[in-house]
Amino acid sequence: MKSKIFKKIALCFASALIACSVGAFAGCAETDHPEVRITYEFNGSTYSVEYKLYRNMYPHTVRHFIELSEEGFYDNTVIHNYQPNDWFTGGYTYNEAEYSANVGNEGQMKEYLEQFSKEDAYSQLFAAGKLSASVYEKVDANGKVIADSKYPTVMGEFYNNINQVIEKGALTADYGCLKMFYYEYDKDTVELARKVYVTPTDDQTILADYKKNCATSLFALQTGVSSTYTEKNYTVFAQLKNTEPFDNLVAAVKDYISDNHSGKADDFYTSLKDVNVGNNMKEVTLNAPKTPIIIQSVKVTKY
């Protein structure tokens, strides 16, 4: 814990020296636009990509992402679902030997995802108080949320959830952006109708649908110019700061598919049908890349 504090102080001090102003130093602990560096690995090459986060618009989501990053939660995870315009990650550890042995077989790969799921690690972080709360089950007689009823999820900061209006202009789901992701609950379960309380600001408590406030650690990298997962239903909380490394990563994957799979993307991955992604959650189809796309690390470079 001390090393993280010292690291944060060092980053803030360095930023203050560059800015040469007392005001910059004072505001360094919580800027409008923190930054992170995500280092990806694919087919033996690495790609370091810088992102600008939008705390001024999505404070709960950005805080959540930074807290997980500081805990090293995302380090050595893998893209578990490859889609034409989005890659999904944040939920499964990469184990080279086991991944290589299982990725070509649907049944074995399902077992891999179950074995290397980060769900328990996430729950442990939440139980230890490492993740801040924004979703609650109960309120008191005065309409204030009851701290002990907090859920281990982050609220969805987007319009179709609580009609949230972003004063400074909501981000759109564009190429290279990061989106906090969730899977909606099945329509035949009671979870569909469950209500929770969310706290967009300190003086707001809003009753909302749990299904749109059930994001945990999963996030999506948008790799196409458009996506069905838009800002209307998902929180777009970060944009590329340097495009070229991300372009190179996306191009490397496309070139690999062209050279090794005759340009057929569906030969590049193993399709896993009816995967249960959480307790009572919707069963989905995931496309696990046969040649892994790995998130080596997610590091905060500016607070």
Side-chain angles (χ1 to χ4, degrees), residues 34-296:
E35 296 176 3
V36 298
R37 179 189 302 114
I38 302 182
T39 301
Y40 303 94
E41 179 184 344
F42 177 72
N43 196 30
S45 297
T46 58
Y47 307 82
S48 292
V49 183
E50 304 282 347
Y51 292 90
K52 178 180 179 181
L53 279 58
Y54 285 75
R55 180 189 272 129
N56 58 325
M57 301 184 202
Y58 313 102
H60 297 287
T61 304
V62 169
R63 179 182 63 192
H64 189 74
F65 187 77
I66 287 177
E67 287 173 343
L68 287 168
S69 300
E70 286 186 316
E71 293 296 329
F73 184 89
Y74 292 122
D75 296 353
N76 195 43
T77 51
V78 67
I79 299 294
H80 64 270
N81 187 11
Y82 178 94
Q83 298 292 339
N85 294 314
D86 291 275
W87 301 349
F88 300 90
T89 188
Y92 301 94
T93 298
Y94 175 62
N95 179 290
E96 182 176 3
E98 293 294 331
Y99 194 97
S100 299
N102 295 314
V103 71
N105 181 284
E106 179 183 354
Q108 291 177 350
M109 195 58 193
K110 284 184 180 180
E111 292 181 5
Y112 174 93
L113 293 181
E114 182 177 347
Q115 179 181 356
F116 291 98
S117 169
K118 301 212 68 172
E119 186 174 355
D120 288 344
Y122 181 91
S123 298
Q124 290 168 12
L125 283 178
F126 184 79
K130 302 290 187 180
L131 304 178
S132 302
S134 60
V135 183
Y136 300 84
E137 183 181 9
K138 301 175 183 178
V139 295
D140 61 21
N142 297 316
K144 299 295 184 181
V145 293
I146 298 174
D148 290 345
S149 70
K150 61 185 179 181
Y151 274 94
T153 60
V154 62
M155 66 168 290
E157 295 177 290
F158 50 84
Y159 185 81
N160 282 356
N161 178 28
I162 55 170
N163 295 339
Q164 181 179 14
V165 177
I166 308 298
E167 292 182 1
K168 298 183 180 180
L171 299 181
T172 56
D174 294 326
Y175 171 79
C177 73
L178 301 183
K179 295 172 278 192
M180 189 59 69
F181 196 76
Y182 62 95
Y183 290 105
E184 290 194 8
Y185 280 74
D186 276 331
K187 290 183 171 27
D188 59 352
T189 70
V190 295
E191 302 298 346
L192 182 68
R194 188 198 294 188
K195 298 288 185 178
V196 292
Y197 295 92
V198 297
T199 54
T201 63
D202 291 339
D203 59 353
Q204 282 183 300
T205 301
I206 298 174
L207 187 64
D209 293 328
Y210 178 64
K211 67 178 183 177
K212 292 185 177 179
N213 298 281
C214 64
T216 54
S217 63
L218 298 186
F219 66 97
L221 329 172
Q222 186 166 318
T223 59
V225 295
S226 64
S227 170
T228 57
Y229 305 104
T230 71
E231 67 280 356
K232 293 181 180 180
N233 290 298
Y234 300 90
T235 305
V236 181
F237 66 95
Q239 292 179 324
L240 289 173
K241 191 180 175 200
N242 56 338
T243 303
E244 184 177 359
F246 190 72
D247 291 345
N248 292 339
L249 169 62
V250 174
V253 174
K254 289 181 178 179
D255 288 345
Y256 184 88
I257 293 173
S258 177
D259 294 342
N260 293 274
H261 298 288
S262 302
K264 297 179 180 178
D266 54 357
D267 286 342
F268 171 65
Y269 54 74
T270 299
S271 186
L272 314 174
K273 298 180 181 179
D274 301 328
V275 179
N276 191 332
V277 294
N279 184 31
N280 291 325
M281 294 288 279
K282 183 177 182 179
E283 291 185 337
V284 298
T285 297
L286 306 179
N287 298 324
K290 294 178 180 177
T291 300
I293 306 170
I294 305 159
I295 288 76
Q296 282 190 346

